[in-house]
Amino acid sequence: MLVDSPPEQRAETAPVPPNRRAIRAFGLLVSLLILVLVAVASIAIGAKELSLTQVWHGLFEDSGTYGDVVVAERVSRTLLGLLAGAALGLSGAVLQALTRNPLADPGLLGINAGASAAVVTAMTYFGVTSLTGYVWFAFLGAAAVGALVWFLGGSRGATPVRLALAGTAISAALYGYLQAVMISDQAALGKMRFWTVGSLATASDATIEQVLPFIAVGTVLALALARPLNAVAMGDDTAKALGANLNRTRALAMLAATVLCGAATAACGPIVFVGLMVPHVVRSFTGPDLRWILPYATILSPVMLLGSDVVGRIVARPSEVQVGIVTAIIGGPVFIYLVRRRRTTQL
């Protein structure tokens, strides 16, 4: 009987045929291989042309030459892209399940706005100019807004609609504040202009070390929530019937999404479409089971982010186009196509 089964089993979706499970597992391996190839391309290809010999030398025989320095910068940039891409994709997938809205992304709950407002405040009123300085302000801003959205959304009685409305209202207010400060302070406008576009160009070992613990904790928490989120995505009544703890699951999902998106936004700025489009694409071939959506999104989101970064370095040599611009240019038309397809999978 249903009441005799443990909650984690009751929240499972319908059994998956072994052959389909094998196909999904093979797809994960293929996705991982693609990610490795894109990461290699991110190190080998850049705005500054280097030969494969120079790239190899910079990776394994660093002697401080110009080519070695460039390769070291690309390695840091690639590592940050891997972390930020995984964080954005995973947080987007969690938020889509949490709000039962396939068009949800971290911006819907105000997390990006909170990080942006905190950064402009740090630059304008506290004189913080270094990335290692304002990364903490960005993270705290994202966390504070996440907590405020949860509180305004009803806390113990939070629902997807309440959370989305609270996030939208807070985002509007914070972006109004952001524009007012930037217009009144030209120095802040100049400093923020680069960060708000979204970029991996400022990657450094220090930044990676700062955000890595948060992204690691957020990733583990998000992946652990796959089963209860499967139940929540079916609707409140069904989730309760399956024995899921709605308030605890929503609170932990909000925490995971805030930590992941806050850390990624703090390090790279607000990068759009990765957390929105990749989980949407993944859902179209995995179905609604979050036990597969979350791992796929974790692997394929860095593919999109690093791939876009490589494109941005190539198209404007010897300069480059910031990755946030490229993801918007690529993501917009592709996403419009996806949402217009009849076969697009709904939550």
Side-chain angles (χ1 to χ4, degrees):
M1 293 179 63
L2 180 62
V3 293
D4 294 330
S5 302
E8 60 267 26
Q9 290 181 4
R10 297 199 301 264
E12 296 278 5
T13 55
V16 179
N19 59 336
R20 189 174 182 185
R21 192 182 301 116
I23 291 173
R24 288 174 173 176
F26 178 72
L28 276 178
L29 293 177
V30 172
S31 300
L32 189 59
L33 176 60
I34 294 173
L35 176 59
V36 171
L37 293 176
V38 172
V40 171
S42 177
I43 296 174
I45 302 173
K48 302 176 180 65
E49 295 190 38
L50 297 177
S51 66
L52 292 179
T53 302
Q54 288 176 302
V55 173
W56 183 268
H57 189 276
L59 286 173
F60 300 104
E61 304 176 30
D62 188 358
S63 58
T65 63
Y66 171 77
D68 294 343
V69 171
V70 171
V71 171
E73 291 175 351
R74 290 182 186 174
V75 170
S76 296
R77 186 168 181 161
T78 301
L79 291 175
L80 183 59
L82 290 170
L83 292 174
L88 290 171
L90 198 51
S91 64
V94 168
L95 290 175
Q96 288 173 15
L98 176 66
T99 60
R100 297 201 293 271
N101 180 358
L103 302 182
D105 73 334
L108 180 67
L109 297 186
I111 297 173
N112 285 345
S116 299
V119 168
V120 76
T121 299
M123 289 180 173
T124 305
Y125 300 112
F126 297 100
V128 179
T129 57
S130 67
L131 176 65
T132 55
Y134 63 68
V135 67
W136 292 104
F137 283 88
F139 182 77
L140 289 174
V145 169
L148 183 59
V149 168
W150 175 251
F151 175 77
L152 295 179
S155 188
R156 290 185 175 277
T159 64
V161 174
R162 287 179 180 176
L163 291 173
L165 289 176
T168 301
I170 292 173
S171 292
L174 288 178
Y175 278 124
Y177 162 77
L178 185 68
Q179 295 301 320
V181 172
M182 291 174 65
I183 290 173
S184 62
D185 188 335
Q186 291 300 313
L189 175 62
K191 295 172 185 176
M192 281 292 294
R193 184 169 50 191
F194 183 79
W195 186 83
T196 54
V197 170
S199 173
L200 298 176
T202 56
S204 66
D205 292 341
T207 304
I208 294 171
E209 291 173 0
Q210 285 177 322
V211 300
L212 178 58
F214 296 105
I215 293 178
V217 171
T219 298
V220 172
L221 179 57
L223 293 175
L225 289 171
R227 290 182 177 180
L229 279 174
N230 270 338
V232 171
M234 297 179 187
D236 290 1
D237 293 337
T238 302
K240 290 178 181 178
L242 292 172
N245 188 321
L246 289 175
N247 291 320
R248 183 179 63 188
T249 299
R250 284 175 177 153
L252 291 176
M254 276 289 297
L255 176 62
T258 299
V259 170
L260 288 168
C261 183
T265 304
C268 309
I271 297 176
V272 298
F273 275 111
V274 176
L276 173 63
M277 190 175 74
V278 175
H280 200 76
V281 173
V282 167
R283 193 178 297 108
S284 68
F285 60 82
T286 64
D289 191 345
L290 286 158
R291 293 172 301 170
W292 292 101
I293 292 175
L294 297 183
Y296 266 102
T298 304
I299 295 174
L300 291 179
S301 295
V303 171
M304 178 181 178
L305 186 60
L306 288 177
S308 298
D309 191 41
V310 171
V311 171
R313 295 184 230 171
I314 294 174
V315 296
R317 280 177 173 171
S319 184
E320 65 179 75
V321 179
Q322 304 307 319
V323 67
I325 298 174
V326 179
T327 58
I329 293 174
I330 295 175
V334 172
F335 190 72
I336 290 173
Y337 167 74
L338 288 172
V339 297
R340 290 180 62 88
R341 287 177 57 193
R342 289 185 178 183
R343 295 179 58 191
T344 298
T345 305
Q346 301 296 322
L347 283 176

